[in-house]
Amino acid sequence: MDTDTVICWCEEVMLSQILSAINAGAVSSKAIKLETRTGMGICQGRICRPLVEQVISSYTSRQLHESPQLNSNHPVRPLSLNELAGNRKDV
Amino acid sequence: METADAVVIGGGVIGTSIAYRLSEYRKVFLIEQGEIGAQTSGSCDKAIFLQSKKPGFPIKLAKASREIYENLEGELDTSVEFKKNGGMIVIESEAYMDSMKKFVKEREKAGIDVKLLDHKEVRAWQPGLSSDIAGASWCAEDAEVNPLLLTQAFAQAARRRGADIRTHTEVTDILCERGKVVGVQTTHGRIATETVINAAGPFAFRIAEMAGVGLTIMPRRGAVLITEKLDPLIHGNILCSQYIAAKHAAGDTGNVPPYGIGLSLGQTDSGNLLIGGSREFKGFDKSVGPDVLSGIAKHAVRIAPVLKDVNIIRSMAGFRPFTGDGLPVVDKAKEVEGFIIAAGHEGDGIALAPITGQLVASLVENKDDYNDLLKPLRLDRPQAV
């Protein structure tokens, strides 16, 4: 590829940055996330995760889905702190 | 068989800090079961608080670590987003004003620069906080750092010094002969070494068991909420007095708020707010239910109403290694020569990582330069559970 490609839109991480992480030894989407912020933005990897996993399987010996997958933690979609707070009265 | 001068087990902020120090003069291997900084050190807040520590030895230890932070970015040759923005502990009720005065006085006596702010001063500095806040203690020496960058930076700097960092490698046995460490068995082969450093945080008891050393460290689960990116909204880091109560409560007894909830609020360089947190004993169960997250949210909105419409994009949970007396264990095991423990920092791992690296280096080199800091961290101290 002659030109660089955006992989993670939220955190503006380029393919070249992900490849440098892989060259430095990263073999999982979690490692790439911790090193480059890929998937840490507002979409939480909903857009970039399949791309990252494809990049890993193309550039390492790992098969797709062999590398540890990123967890999805609550909330599933962004919600305001007020909404999350609900009506709890006991804390 | 491969040979190392020392094998560090655990690639969190503690293990990488130790590997960095030890690799200055030694061939060091660091063994990590998953990724660097992906467990406890990747799911914590970003504060380096001095004033939240107990007066006496805990403050002395934290100060020694804080001093190393002053030049750490230069030493590691990269930014870890270290900021000297100060920190405050807010109190929600006038009723606690007297105990807060005592809190401030004790810390002044311990030699840290803490002052009491009244209602107006708090709001002038942090306009986003509730008008119901009665006051706060303020410490200009409190600082902050990006824990993800910090752990990566220690690991990178250790690599540059020749450390061999093996991720996705699990330790399956500590090999001992005649009461001495002779090697480490991993899922990817055996490493001959006479020195092993157990920096496995909440998993440290399992590693200790492999060497036949008794170590009581329990995982204490903490959850943190992460918001969307925002323009700078708060100054420095904020805790609340309930956080201090939960932090210093020795376990699940006493005056612990539900789910051990207390506010810890900080903003990263990228603009995300980290809103903590809870403290619970749930084994290694990582699935934090909505009741805990909702409790953290409710508590945070009450103290900082400015946050009410801010979007939460994620939560994270980590297991803080709990020893029972709020201090880590940094010591040589008596039973097995060459087996060193450096674990149990609970919620102070980020604050104490720099000094822990120095302390372990001192132990490995048999120096006596840190005896005053090492003595209270001994494995056989009476306070440890």
Side-chain angles (χ1 to χ4, degrees), chain A residues 11 27-28 31 33-35 37 40-42 44 71 73-75 78-82 84-85 88 90-91, chain B residues 35-36 38 148 152 168 229 258-259 270 272 288 293-295 298 301-302 307-308 310-315:
Chain A
E11 296 290 331
V27 289
S28 73
K33 173 180 176 172
L34 288 166
E35 287 172 43
R37 294 188 63 85
M40 285 174 76
I42 189 104
Q44 285 293 299
N71 323 314
N73 290 357
H74 292 300
L79 85 168
S80 78
L81 206 62
N82 232 0
L84 181 58
R88 298 193 66 87
D90 58 339
V91 283
Chain B
E35 308 290 355
I36 294 299
L148 302 181
Q152 297 292 341
H168 300 280
K229 292 180 183 189
Y259 313 113
S270 16
N272 307 89
V288 179
L293 301 178
S294 163
K298 175 128 188 161
V301 170
R302 191 175 75 209
L307 302 178
K308 68 181 168 50
V310 166
N311 280 314
I312 300 300
I313 61 171
R314 180 183 166 83
S315 62

Side-chain angles (χ1 to χ4, degrees), chain B residues 57-73:
Chain B
F57 178 72
I59 282 187
K60 185 179 167 185
L61 183 67
K63 279 182 81 162
S65 204
R66 175 67 179 75
E67 273 167 33
I68 302 171
Y69 265 114
E70 284 294 320
N71 299 312
L72 194 61
E73 291 187 316

Side-chain angles (χ1 to χ4, degrees), chain B residues 233-247:
Chain B
L233 192 66
I234 54 156
H235 296 112
N237 281 262
I238 303 173
L239 301 178
C240 70
S241 48
Q242 189 173 308
Y243 175 96
I244 299 298
K247 176 182 170 75

Side-chain angles (χ1 to χ4, degrees), chain B residues 172-335:
Chain B
T172 53
D173 201 9
I174 308 293
L175 310 167
C176 303
E177 274 172 23
R178 290 182 291 277
K180 283 185 184 178
V181 169
V182 294
V184 173
Q185 180 67 47
T186 77
T187 44
H188 295 114
R190 188 174 278 209
I191 305 159
T193 187
E194 290 178 357
T195 306
V196 166
I197 294 97
N198 178 4
F203 311 101
F205 70 95
R206 289 184 185 152
I207 302 294
E209 208 172 83
M210 293 175 192
V213 174
L215 176 65
T216 309
I217 286 179
M218 288 162 68
R220 197 180 198 186
R221 188 176 74 186
V224 176
L225 305 175
I226 305 167
T227 73
E228 60 190 314
K229 292 180 183 189
L230 303 162
D231 289 336
L233 192 66
I234 54 156
H235 296 112
N237 281 262
I238 303 173
L239 301 178
C240 70
S241 48
Q242 189 173 308
Y243 175 96
I244 299 298
K247 176 182 170 75
H248 296 313
D252 268 343
T253 53
N255 195 17
V256 186
Y259 313 113
I261 286 173
L263 179 72
S264 140
L265 182 60
Q267 190 162 16
T268 67
D269 264 22
S270 16
N272 307 89
L273 289 170
L274 302 184
I275 307 173
S278 53
R279 288 171 195 265
E280 299 175 281
F281 292 104
K282 293 284 176 189
F284 285 107
D285 179 8
K286 223 171 190 177
S287 55
V288 179
D291 47 347
V292 179
L293 301 178
S294 163
I296 296 170
K298 175 128 188 161
H299 184 69
V301 170
R302 191 175 75 209
I303 293 176
V306 69
L307 302 178
K308 68 181 168 50
D309 296 321
V310 166
N311 280 314
I312 300 300
I313 61 171
R314 180 183 166 83
S315 62
M316 55 185 180
F319 299 107
R320 327 283 177 225
F322 171 87
T323 57
D325 63 1
L327 287 172
V329 174
V330 183
D331 196 10
K332 293 177 178 175
K334 288 207 170 55
E335 303 93 320

Side-chain angles (χ1 to χ4, degrees), chain B residues 49-96:
Chain B
F49 264 97
L50 276 185
Q51 60 167 327
S52 66
K53 314 293 184 276
K54 284 182 181 167
F57 178 72
I59 282 187
K60 185 179 167 185
L61 183 67
K63 279 182 81 162
S65 204
R66 175 67 179 75
E67 273 167 33
I68 302 171
Y69 265 114
E70 284 294 320
N71 299 312
L72 194 61
E73 291 187 316
E75 221 185 304
L76 300 177
D77 200 22
T78 185
S79 164
V80 291
E81 297 175 7
F82 174 66
K83 300 265 162 56
K84 297 191 264 186
N85 286 338
M88 60 166 59
I89 301 174
V90 299
I91 36 177
E92 292 186 81
S93 157
E94 284 289 344
Y96 299 122

